[in-house]
Amino acid sequence: MTTREHLEELKKVLNISEYHKAGFKGQGVIVASMEETKDGHGSNVMDTVLTYAPDCKVISFTDVKGYSSMSDNGEHIAFPEFVDWCIENKVDIVTSSLDWSCDKEVERNAIKKLYENGIIFCNCASNEGSENKFSNIKKTWSFDKEVICVSGYMHNVNGKFTWSGFNYGEAVDVLGCGSNCPTMSRDSNVVYSWSGTSSATPMIAGMLATLKSANKNLNSKNVFNIIENNYIPLIYKDREYKILVLPPLELIGEYMDKFENETWAKEALKWAEEVGLSDCTRLDDNITRREVIVMLYRLFKLYE
């Protein structure tokens, strides 16, 4: 199988082709990268986003500002400025293939600001092959829904999905192609491959951009409802991981209506999330006794 054939096969299996054939290719969606995109690693990131959402707009903080949001030692010296820049430029999705620690309150608040403004934040899980040994932001601050933590799978010539040796554990939310990820050069249309959670993360960002072009209601508050209900399971070390698959196109409106536009429940759900009673995910799942007790406890504490 050639790399180009691999790309077409992967797009078919993950249901990306259905969206592209219907004309949903990321148009109207803005994806922001924290890296420069002219060459090297950052250029590959941009190529990968555009491979899976060819009509989205990718903008780079570094290209525009002329300096990086990171210093050489991995510290984000301008991350809050990057977040404000994203909000100002009406960014929909942020993709980060950088391995960095978020150990300052100002950075933590900036990530929350992305979430509160509906901006989806995809961040790589890194490549050490360790369980729960994450130096990235999700593990540092124990974020839940504010960050999508992406690790990687291998999709081989026989069409099989296998684990690809990257970081794993409870912090991982979803898997993208992390081993020989087929990517089309935006300049030459040559299809090449590259690897790591660095490739898996912009692939997920591109898939979500394609999805958002089909339904503009997709945002940071409801994206996990899509991830948790549309995936191919991959078992590794007795834990199930999720390979994102785009939902059937005819059902995307139903998904968004179900999770986002329930007008009769919208006000109550907003209140419950604002006061910390519930994160308002998995709304159609069965509730356990443990969850009932926790919600009652939170409600009692709220009014004591």
Side-chain angles (χ1 to χ4, degrees):
M1 182 186 297
T2 66
T3 307
R4 187 176 294 273
E5 289 170 340
H6 184 204
L7 172 60
E8 295 308 314
E9 175 66 16
L10 199 56
K11 286 164 61 177
K12 180 179 179 181
V13 171
L14 301 180
N15 206 35
I16 302 166
S17 295
E18 179 186 6
Y19 283 73
H20 288 184
K21 288 176 182 177
F24 299 111
K25 301 179 180 180
Q27 60 269 31
V29 180
I30 301 176
V31 179
S33 170
M34 293 159 61
E35 303 178 64
E36 62 84 21
T37 59
K38 295 174 184 176
D39 52 42
H41 187 272
S43 179
N44 291 349
V45 167
M46 186 175 188
D47 280 348
T48 305
V49 173
L50 291 171
T51 296
Y52 297 95
D55 290 344
C56 78
K57 181 179 180 181
V58 182
I59 59 177
S60 162
F61 178 79
T62 308
D63 290 351
V64 172
K65 292 290 184 178
Y67 61 90
S68 176
S69 63
M70 289 190 69
S71 65
D72 292 338
N73 64 7
E75 180 183 358
H76 275 255
I77 57 176
F79 186 71
E81 183 182 351
F82 168 73
V83 169
D84 289 339
W85 177 81
C86 287
I87 295 169
E88 179 183 348
N89 285 277
K90 302 186 184 306
V91 166
D92 299 292
I93 301 167
V94 169
T95 182
S96 170
S97 291
L98 301 170
D99 182 7
W100 58 289
S101 296
C102 173
D103 56 2
K104 294 181 174 62
E105 186 73 18
V106 66
E107 295 170 335
R108 181 189 186 196
N109 291 336
I111 291 168
K112 288 186 174 181
K113 196 172 183 179
L114 283 175
Y115 178 78
E116 292 303 326
N117 280 273
I119 299 172
I120 297 168
F121 187 10
C122 302
N123 193 77
C124 68
S126 302
N127 304 325
E128 292 88 349
S130 301
E131 181 177 13
N132 292 330
K133 188 179 179 182
F134 295 90
S135 58
N136 64 45
I137 53 178
K138 180 149 190 173
K139 201 62 184 174
T140 305
W141 284 105
S142 299
F143 281 122
D144 184 17
K145 304 300 182 184
E146 293 90 343
V147 182
I148 300 174
C149 184
V150 184
S151 196
Y153 59 75
M154 177 186 293
H155 181 249
N156 61 34
V157 294
N158 298 318
K160 302 286 187 180
F161 290 100
T162 58
W163 190 260
S164 199
F166 306 118
N167 282 354
Y168 60 98
E170 61 185 356
V172 173
D173 297 306
V174 70
L175 304 181
C177 188
S179 182
N180 298 319
C181 179
T183 301
M184 181 177 289
S185 168
R186 63 190 183 279
D187 297 322
S188 64
N189 289 329
V190 170
V191 179
Y192 64 93
S193 63
W194 67 304
S195 300
T197 54
S198 287
S199 65
T201 304
M203 177 188 183
I204 294 296
M207 290 177 68
L208 293 176
T210 284
L211 186 61
K212 188 172 177 69
S213 66
N215 194 302
K216 300 300 183 184
N217 289 324
L218 183 70
N219 59 45
S220 62
K221 306 295 182 64
N222 55 37
V223 65
F224 274 92
N225 293 316
I226 297 293
I227 292 172
E228 291 167 0
N229 287 278
N230 299 274
Y231 65 91
I232 297 170
L234 177 59
I235 305 298
Y236 181 69
K237 292 186 179 293
D238 298 322
R239 181 183 291 274
E240 181 182 85
Y241 295 89
K242 298 175 174 65
I243 296 170
L244 179 64
V245 178
L246 297 188
L249 188 55
E250 67 271 17
L251 297 181
I252 183 59
E254 177 183 324
Y255 269 99
M256 302 314 295
D257 289 342
K258 184 176 182 181
F259 295 121
E260 178 68 11
N261 296 325
E262 292 176 331
T263 54
W264 62 272
K266 201 167 187 177
E267 185 176 346
L269 293 173
K270 181 180 179 182
W271 168 81
E273 188 171 3
E274 286 177 349
V275 300
L277 188 63
S278 169
D279 63 6
C280 294
T281 61
R282 302 183 296 109
L283 293 175
D284 290 314
D285 288 1
N286 293 328
I287 190 167
T288 66
R289 289 185 178 89
R290 182 183 296 105
E291 289 171 324
V292 170
I293 292 169
V294 169
M295 291 176 71
L296 288 173
Y297 173 78
R298 289 175 178 172
L299 187 61
F300 174 78
K301 298 295 286 185
L302 188 64
Y303 291 104
E304 71 173 0

